[in-house]
Amino acid sequence: MLTGQPPRRCINGQALLAPAADLVEVSDGHIVLSAYTDTKWQAMCAALGLSDIAVDPRFADNPTRVANHGELLNRLGDALASL
């Protein structure tokens, strides 16, 4: 906003948090997932039965989830596709 250049859309979520308002496909449509803190991430994974993703080092904390955002969305999509 301070540069004078209009912001450009880059993804559904947010650039500095993951998952953050990310659209994930499920069997009957889409859901939006957000887990803004590491504690919320762990709780979301536990609630959804995604213990393998919760302990994956690529998704251990917010910086690694942001760095691996594409893979994170792929893994979440694969895990939740049958819901």
Side-chain angles (χ1 to χ4, degrees):
M1 300 292 252
L2 299 175
T3 66
Q5 299 296 319
R8 65 178 179 81
R9 184 181 179 126
C10 57
I11 56 176
N12 286 331
Q14 298 181 23
L16 301 177
L17 297 167
D22 285 307
L23 196 62
V24 177
E25 189 169 0
V26 294
S27 63
D28 62 346
H30 294 83
I31 59 172
V32 175
L33 290 179
S34 295
Y36 295 109
T37 67
D38 295 338
T39 302
K40 297 293 184 192
W41 167 251
Q42 292 298 322
M44 183 187 80
C45 288
L48 295 173
L50 304 176
S51 58
D52 61 321
I53 295 173
V55 297
D56 189 316
R58 294 172 296 171
F59 315 128
D61 56 23
N62 186 64
T64 59
R65 289 191 299 276
V66 170
N68 296 294
H69 190 251
E71 181 62 21
L72 174 67
L73 291 181
N74 288 338
R75 292 287 307 275
L76 289 170
D78 290 346
L80 301 176
S82 63
L83 292 181

